[in-house]
């Protein structure tokens, strides 16, 4: 019998003779990592160099790792845990002080060459090893119910989230107060109370409003129109005999894999000054060409078009979940169709409607691509932030203030949403016999709805037709419909030369960077997201709510805000990673992680905890339970998170537009560049290429992960609860 | 490891301000079947989960085979459990489910499969190796769960309401199978149920729990005949608890006056005076009462329900409303009838306070 199973028969006090491999592995990784890879990023010094220079943090770290590893090898578990927890914590504290608190560090006697230096991958590995070492060691002393797996997971995730979410936001807030010389509330107030942020003149005169009212008005209108349209569509889809063709499902999915500004781009081709429809109207009806599209109307139209499908999906789900028996009850109480709709159906839908509305509002606030492409002189917070950073006068402080305003609006919307969802959740699916026939819609309503919906569907189809064919005709903007592969060739030419492939097209560089970054980010997002979901949903520990809040925080932060926060926080030591591919990956991972957490928690709530418990009573430790029992049952959530994080990384624009460089250019940033240069056809061709690529990638992910093998789904063994 | 004894020493479990198990102490001997019985929320499941290590005690000690396991996690204890929902891994075949424990303990694949097949055969499931749990009936699923728990030959085997997901006809058979298995293998079993008939039928010892504490621990016969307190008397066998008087004590026997009827019962160390008395529903015989006929314990039938095998009566008496059952053998009385209630000589116990 192997060692492990023998050890379990002994009480915990006398397994001293057992070697604990965990600290040994960590010691090896933590010492070899910085010995091979750079400890300091600027001059490439490795571990040997920094130790010779008498640097305190790496010396302490090496000492803690070596002592803990050696003690474990010698079988002295308690000593190992003691070295691990105290030594690890001291070394980490030294790292933090040296990196983030230079004045304090110098006064504490740190070497000047150690303080405020950019850290390299070697230092990253050392830090991670120390975090895991200390976390594992405190579990030996009873933290996290003695569960080392949980302890290491929680502490590591917490440290990463603090570094990549909390710290950038904090750094941005402090930048908002930072004047030329010193931090100061006056500077902050001066920046905050600018007229171009808050002016309300547009409400009563022809003067322009500030960006804050602009953003909020746009958000309110976009949310109103998209929710209303989606509600009408949902009522037609669920409550009338009309069966939408299969193609409609695709139409609902397409916007999710479409880069966010594509719709704006297609609208320009349709309705711009020289657009197809504008030209048609001018030539046939003499309606003059105008620039109406550039400004609020165009942005609004683009946002509504891109938001309706998602809102539709939410509302259809909610409508289908309504118990028909409630409407039947209303019918037996002599309510007519209109009365049922107004007094039963809609009130029960209200939480879902409010949710949809707030989601659309938040999406509109966060939208960067459409205002950039279509905004013209109409400015919103996200674009204003962008130009404060990249514009002629580089004003990070101003950008930080604007970002704070945007963040405040978004957080307020999220708070309202949480309140609403907490107080008014009508659980209408009881699991009991719920058959019945829902009430028919009031007479005349379907016809009225169709009157609105048909033009909308027409517009959506037109938009996507433009996207799909625009790249393959000579110049769709001028209605030159001669088929051509020129644009595709410009972007994606591949030549066979000298025995190798030559990626000659101009788009390949950004395309491969995007694919690589997305392919690296997606699995990391999934692992961190689902692991977080598991510890949040299945483990009880102190600080659970804090961890949950921190992970959700990054979800509430608009991409532009994250972009600003990242360049402010990571442009300086100790974590100086702007301009690298790593910052792009980190940005995607921590931005999309909350979706993984949500999907994971939802999936875990479907898996009875008695399965975890059964596994534990059968001698499986937490790690094995997770791998052998929980993960296989979470395959749908794994696929969903992989797909979502991959697609988001491929199509995101708002955050990464701040982070791309010539070397690490992303597809969306490249396309935005083409749009700004007026090369619409190439931009459209690129979008079409990406859409096709993503559909293929999604199919591949589904194929690789596979389906959960459960026989009858939702059989007793999954659904039945213990108590 | 063979079957082991289990000791709870002053064990308390708190969730925040709620005390789920309050200073509980008991001992289960090796090779016996002990039932935790009580209404929902009494702490019996929490107690079971503390044995398994799924909950850690807030205070007190838990010993298995005399060794302190209080701070060991579930994976470190030599205890396995059959869950109420069976908790079969839905993505694993029957064989994989049963192999899971040995594999987690680091035993090689071939040996684990052999151990699993042996236990599956013991439970009459040979040949079901490749099935998924969803392809089995409820009874078969449960036997897989038992095989999976048995395969590690644990010191203690736990059952959490194992019959609650089975239909009524299967329950009696499965209950007998579990008892036979326990006796044949000499297992130490702790068994949670809220069904008193089930508890009486399978147990060596029954621990009745109420409000996070042990109300009584006794063997089934003792529990029925000598309830330690009002709760146990009421919970086991729906006894009527009435006020009586001990008129005299002779040796171990007390003479009781129950609203005019005289009856004898074990004295249980009580002295003459007022006393609470548990009267089982089947402890009284009914006799129709003529006009002017008085004396003894009399009452008026308020409801009479025919249940096939027997009658159920609610009878209004000077002692209060009494619940009485009587054979449906032709001598039934109807609602409104006046009756005399005669003690049969068993099923009446004084309750020490």
């Amino acid at each position: 019998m192997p060692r492990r199973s023998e050890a379990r028969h002994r009480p915990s006090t006398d397994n001293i003779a057992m070697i604990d491999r965990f600290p040994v592995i960590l010691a090896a990784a933590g010492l070899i990592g910085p010995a091979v890879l750079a400890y300091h990023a600027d001059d490439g010094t490795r571990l040997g160099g920094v130790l010779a220079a008498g640097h305190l943090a790496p010396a302490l770290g090496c000492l803690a790792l070596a002592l803990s590893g050696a003690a474990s090898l010698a079988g002295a578990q308690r000593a190992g845990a003691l070295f691990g927890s105290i030594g690890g914590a001291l070394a980490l504290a030294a790292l933090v002080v040296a990196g983030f608190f230079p004045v304090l560090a110098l006064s504490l006697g740190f070497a000047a060459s150690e303080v405020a230096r950019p850290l390299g991958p070697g230092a990253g590995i050392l830090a991670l090893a120390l975090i895991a070492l200390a976390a594992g060691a405190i579990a030996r002393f009873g933290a996290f119910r003695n569960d080392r797996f949980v302890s290491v997971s929680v502490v590591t995730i917490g440290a990463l989230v603090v570094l990549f979410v909390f710290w950038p936001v904090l750094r941005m807030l402090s930048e908002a107060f930072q004047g030329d010389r010193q931090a100061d509330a006056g500077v902050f107030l001066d920046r905050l109370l600018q007229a171009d942020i808050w002016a309300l003149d547009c409400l009563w005169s022809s003067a322009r409003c500030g960006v804050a009212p602009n953003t909020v008005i746009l958000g309110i209108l976009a949310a109103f129109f998209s929710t209303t349209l989606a509600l009408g569509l949902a009522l037609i889809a669920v409550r009338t005999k009309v069966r939408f063709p299969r193609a409609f499902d695709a139409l609902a999915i397409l916007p999710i894999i479409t880069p966010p500004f594509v719709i704006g781009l297609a609208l320009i081709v349709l309705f711009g000054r020289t657009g197809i429809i504008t030209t048609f109207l001018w030539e046939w009806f003499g309606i003059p060409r105008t620039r109406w599209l550039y400004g609020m109307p165009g942005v609004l139209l683009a946002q509504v078009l891109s938001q309706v499908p998602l809102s539709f999906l939410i509302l259809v789900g909610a409508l289908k979940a309504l118990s028909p028996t409630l409407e039947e009850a209303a019918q037996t109480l002599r309510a007519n169709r209109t009365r049922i709709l107004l007094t039963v159906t809609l009130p029960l839908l209200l939480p879902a409607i409010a949710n949809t509305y707030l989601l659309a509002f938040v999406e509109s606030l966060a939208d960067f691509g459409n205002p950039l492409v279509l905004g013209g002189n109409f400015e919103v917070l996200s674009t204003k932030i962008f130009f404060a950073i990249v514009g002629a006068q580089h004003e990070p402080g101003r950008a930080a203030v604007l970002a704070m305003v945007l963040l405040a609006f978004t957080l307020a919307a999220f708070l309202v949403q949480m309140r609403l969802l907490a107080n008014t959740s009508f659980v209408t699916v009881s699991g009991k016999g719920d058959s019945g026939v829902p009430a028919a819609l009031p007479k005349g309503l379907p016809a009225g709805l169709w009157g609105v919906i048909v033009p909308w569907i027409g517009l959506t189809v037109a938009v996507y037709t433009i996207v799909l064919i625009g790249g393959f005709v000579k110049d769709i903007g001028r209605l030159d419909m001669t088929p051509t592969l020129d644009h595709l060739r410009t972007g994606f030419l591949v030549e066979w030369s000298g025995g190798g492939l030559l990626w000659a097209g101009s788009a390949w560089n950004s395309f491969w960077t995007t694919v690589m970054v997305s392919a690296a980010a997606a699995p990391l997002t999934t692992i961190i997201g689902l692991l977080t979901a598991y510890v949040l949903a299945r483990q009880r520990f102190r600080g659970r709510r804090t961890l949950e809040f921190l992970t959700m925080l990054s979800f509430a932060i608009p991409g532009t805000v994250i972009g600003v926060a990242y360049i402010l926080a990571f442009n300086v030591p100790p974590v100086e990673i702007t301009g690298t591919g790593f910052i792009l990956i980190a940005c995607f991972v921590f931005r999309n992680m909350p979706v993984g957490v949500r999907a994971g928690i939802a999936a875990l709530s479907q898996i009875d905890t008695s399965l975890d418990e059964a596994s534990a009573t059968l001698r499986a430790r937490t790690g094995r339970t997770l791998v052998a029992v929980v993960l296989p049952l979470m395959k749908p959530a794994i696929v969903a998170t992989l797909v979502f994080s991959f697609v988001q990384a491929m199509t995101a624009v708002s955050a990464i537009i701040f982070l791309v460089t010539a070397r690490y250019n992303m597809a969306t940033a490249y396309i935005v560049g083409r749009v700004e240069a007026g090369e619409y056809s190439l931009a459209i061709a690129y979008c079409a290429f990406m859409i096709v690529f993503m559909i293929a990638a999604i199919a591949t992910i589904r194929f690789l992960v596979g389906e959960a093998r459960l026989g009858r789904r939702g059989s007793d063994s999954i659904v039945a609860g213990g108590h | 490891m063979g079957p082991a004894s289990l000791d709870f020493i002053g064990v308390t479990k708190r969730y925040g301000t709620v005390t789920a198990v309050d200073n509980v102490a008991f001992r289960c001997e090796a090779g016996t079947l002990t039932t935790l019985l009580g209404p929902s929320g009494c702490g019996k499941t929490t107690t079971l989960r503390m044995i398994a290590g799924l909950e850690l005690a807030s205070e007190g000690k838990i010993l298995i085979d005399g060794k302190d396991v209080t701070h060991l996690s579930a994976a470190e204890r030599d205890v396995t459990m059959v869950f109420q929902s069976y908790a079969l891994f839905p993505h694993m075949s029957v064989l994989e489910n049963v192999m899971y424990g040995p594999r987690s303990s680091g035993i090689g694949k071939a040996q684990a499969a052999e151990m699993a097949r042996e236990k599956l055969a013991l439970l009459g499931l040979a040949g079901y190796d490749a099935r998924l749990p969803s392809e089995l009936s409820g009874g078969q699923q449960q036997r897989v769960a038992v095989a999976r728990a048995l395969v590690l030959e644990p010191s203690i085997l736990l059952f959490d309401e194992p019959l609650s997901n089975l239909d009524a006809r299967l329950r009696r058979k499965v209950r007998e199978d579990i008892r036979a298995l326990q006796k044949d293998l000499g297992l130490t079993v702790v068994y949670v149920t809220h069904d008193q008939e089930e508890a009486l039928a399978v147990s060596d010892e029954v621990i009745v729990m109420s409000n996070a504490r042990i109300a009584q621990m006794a063997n089934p016969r003792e529990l029925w005949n000598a309830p330690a307190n009002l709760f146990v008397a009421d919970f086991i066998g729906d006894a009527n608890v009435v006020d009586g008087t001990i008129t005299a004590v002779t040796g171990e026997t007390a003479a009781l006056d129950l609203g005019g009827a005289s009856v004898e019962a074990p004295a249980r160390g009580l002295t003459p005076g007022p006393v609470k008395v548990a009267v089982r529903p089947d402890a009284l015989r009914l006799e129709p009462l003529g006009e002017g006929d008085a004396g003894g314990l009399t009452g008026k039938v308020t409801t009479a329900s025919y249940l096939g095998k027997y009658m159920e009566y609610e009878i209004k008496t000077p002692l209060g409303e009494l619940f009485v059952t009587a054979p449906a053998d032709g001598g039934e009385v109807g609602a409104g009838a006046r009756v005399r209630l005669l003690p049969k000589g068993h099923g009446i116990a004084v309750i020490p306070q």
Side-chain angles (χ1 to χ4, degrees), chain A residues 32 261 283 501 560 582 605 612:
Chain A
I32 294 171
F261 45 80
E283 284 175 1
L501 285 178
T560 347
F582 184 75
S605 71
D612 303 33

Side-chain angles (χ1 to χ4, degrees), chain A residues 673-684:
Chain A
R674 299 286 66 71
V675 174
E676 286 176 334
E679 298 172 37
Y680 294 152
S681 295
L682 177 55
I684 291 175

Side-chain angles (χ1 to χ4, degrees), chain A residues 2 4-5 8 146 608 610-611 613-620 624 628-629 632-633 709-712 718 722-723, chain B residues 45 49 54 71 74-80 83-85 87-92 100-101 104-106 132 134 148:
Chain A
R4 194 143 69 101
S5 62
R8 80 181 148 83
N146 296 323
D608 192 351
S610 69
L611 292 175
E613 293 171 354
S615 176
T617 62
L618 294 167
R619 311 281 175 272
R624 176 167 158 81
V629 176
L633 295 174
R709 166 195 171 211
L710 299 178
R712 281 194 314 246
I718 299 188
H723 274 257
Chain B
T45 300
R49 291 166 58 82
L54 296 171
H71 301 293
E76 293 164 325
R77 294 189 193 184
D78 194 18
V79 177
T80 59
F83 287 80
Q84 184 178 24
S85 60
L88 296 177
F89 305 132
H91 57 301
M92 296 183 193
Y100 188 85
S104 297
S105 314
L132 285 177
S134 56
R148 188 177 70 176

Side-chain angles (χ1 to χ4, degrees), chain B residues 74 92 109 112 123 160 184 198-199 205 215 244 246 252 254 272 301 313:
Chain B
M92 296 183 193
K109 214 170 193 168
L123 284 147
D160 185 10
D184 291 348
E198 190 181 323
E205 292 281 320
I246 298 181
E252 293 289 291
V301 177
Y313 297 106

Side-chain angles (χ1 to χ4, degrees), chain B residues 149-165:
Chain B
L150 273 178
V151 72
L152 288 167
E153 306 195 339
S155 306
I156 298 174
L157 178 58
L158 309 176
F159 286 90
D160 185 10
E161 308 230 8
L163 308 185
S164 63
N165 283 335

Side-chain angles (χ1 to χ4, degrees), chain A residues 172-412:
Chain A
M172 186 189 77
L173 297 189
S174 83
E175 182 70 31
F177 287 87
Q178 190 68 46
D180 286 339
R181 299 239 171 76
Q182 69 207 39
D184 169 352
V187 174
F188 171 71
L189 285 178
D190 186 42
R191 282 173 182 156
L192 181 64
L193 300 176
Q194 296 277 332
D196 65 344
I197 301 184
W198 299 105
L200 289 166
D201 300 334
C202 64
L203 294 182
W204 54 80
S205 73
S206 59
R208 274 196 269 157
C209 269
V211 278
N214 272 351
T215 310
V216 173
I217 292 169
L218 176 68
I220 290 172
L221 290 175
F224 174 76
F225 284 117
S226 62
T227 307
T228 312
L229 258 173
L231 181 63
L233 266 175
L235 283 173
I236 291 279
V238 179
R239 290 299 172 81
T240 65
K241 293 233 165 60
V242 179
R243 287 287 152 257
F244 281 96
R246 267 296 162 107
F248 190 82
D249 285 345
L251 222 55
I253 303 303
L254 265 179
I256 297 165
I257 58 170
T258 315
F261 45 80
V262 167
I263 291 180
L265 191 52
L267 286 178
I268 292 177
V269 171
L270 284 171
F271 297 110
R273 241 182 76 78
T274 58
I276 298 172
I277 291 179
T278 314
T279 307
F280 173 79
L281 291 176
W282 165 243
E283 284 175 1
W284 289 70
F285 301 103
I287 297 171
R289 300 169 185 272
T290 61
R291 296 181 55 85
W292 69 271
L293 187 68
Y294 298 94
M296 169 94 122
V299 180
L300 181 61
L301 186 59
Q303 289 187 344
V304 171
L305 275 169
S306 54
Q307 189 58 34
V308 165
L310 190 60
S311 306
F312 170 75
L313 290 181
I314 299 174
L315 289 173
V316 162
L319 252 181
K320 282 185 176 164
L322 281 190
S323 167
T325 45
L326 295 170
E327 294 181 10
E328 287 184 332
Q331 270 173 313
T332 64
L333 298 168
R334 311 224 177 116
N336 62 29
R337 291 170 174 192
T338 313
R339 194 170 155 72
I340 293 173
L341 184 70
L342 294 179
T343 58
V344 178
T345 316
L346 288 182
L348 283 173
L349 272 183
L350 210 54
I353 293 173
N355 192 16
T356 317
Y357 185 93
L358 283 164
L359 197 71
F361 179 71
V362 169
E363 284 288 321
S364 165
L365 291 192
D367 186 17
F368 170 76
N370 287 316
L372 184 71
V373 173
L374 288 172
N377 290 327
F378 176 76
E379 282 186 311
V380 292
L381 281 165
S382 58
T383 48
K384 193 99 176 162
I385 293 167
F386 176 65
F387 288 117
I389 291 282
V390 304
Q393 60 273 71
H394 175 70
E395 298 173 296
R398 196 169 143 65
V401 171
L402 290 165
M404 276 175 69
V405 174
L406 182 53
L407 184 57
F409 287 159
T410 318
L411 286 180

Side-chain angles (χ1 to χ4, degrees), chain A residues 40 45 47-60 109-115:
Chain A
H40 285 311
T45 332
L47 190 60
V50 291
L51 289 181
H55 289 182
L56 209 52
L60 273 173
F110 281 77
S113 60
E114 181 179 4
V115 171

Side-chain angles (χ1 to χ4, degrees), chain B residues 187-226:
Chain B
L187 301 167
T188 308
V189 169
V190 181
Y191 187 112
V192 158
T193 179
H194 61 265
D195 180 336
Q196 42 131 336
E197 181 190 316
E198 190 181 323
L200 297 177
V202 299
S203 313
D204 292 305
E205 292 281 320
V206 179
I207 298 172
V208 182
M209 292 191 70
S210 160
N211 290 329
R213 290 165 178 274
I214 293 182
Q216 186 173 8
M217 177 168 181
N219 65 44
R221 206 165 277 278
E222 197 183 331
L223 203 64
W224 184 269
N225 290 327

